[in-house]
Amino acid sequence: KENRADASRHGTIRGERAPTAILTETDVRSIRMMKGKLTHGEIAAQYGVARETIAGLLAGRTWAWLP
């Protein structure tokens, strides 16, 4: 938690502005709407990311700051 607060104070890049980001904010919102309609693997294949990426996103472990 302390590291996250420090990153926020210093303007650390997150989300789609991060140089290694594959997903955009629009993608994340779309993926959240697919929850329960497709498997994590199916969604992951559609967006070219790992199943674990989708699982983390839908569980709120990643992209949690995005409403």
Side-chain angles (χ1 to χ4, degrees):
K1 290 183 180 181
E2 188 176 318
N3 282 343
R4 288 184 200 166
D6 188 52
S8 180
R9 280 194 301 275
H10 294 288
T12 300
I13 297 172
R14 66 179 180 180
E16 66 185 60
R17 293 186 346 206
T20 58
I22 294 173
L23 300 173
T24 65
E25 291 183 10
T26 302
D27 291 338
V28 171
R29 288 186 174 104
S30 296
I31 291 167
R32 286 178 177 163
M33 291 184 352
M34 292 180 196
K35 185 176 184 176
K37 298 176 184 170
L38 298 173
T39 67
H40 293 178
E42 291 169 333
I43 298 170
Q46 206 172 358
Y47 286 90
V49 297
R51 184 194 59 78
E52 292 81 5
T53 301
I54 302 301
L57 190 157
L58 294 177
R61 290 188 300 270
T62 58
W63 292 85
W65 54 270
L66 186 65

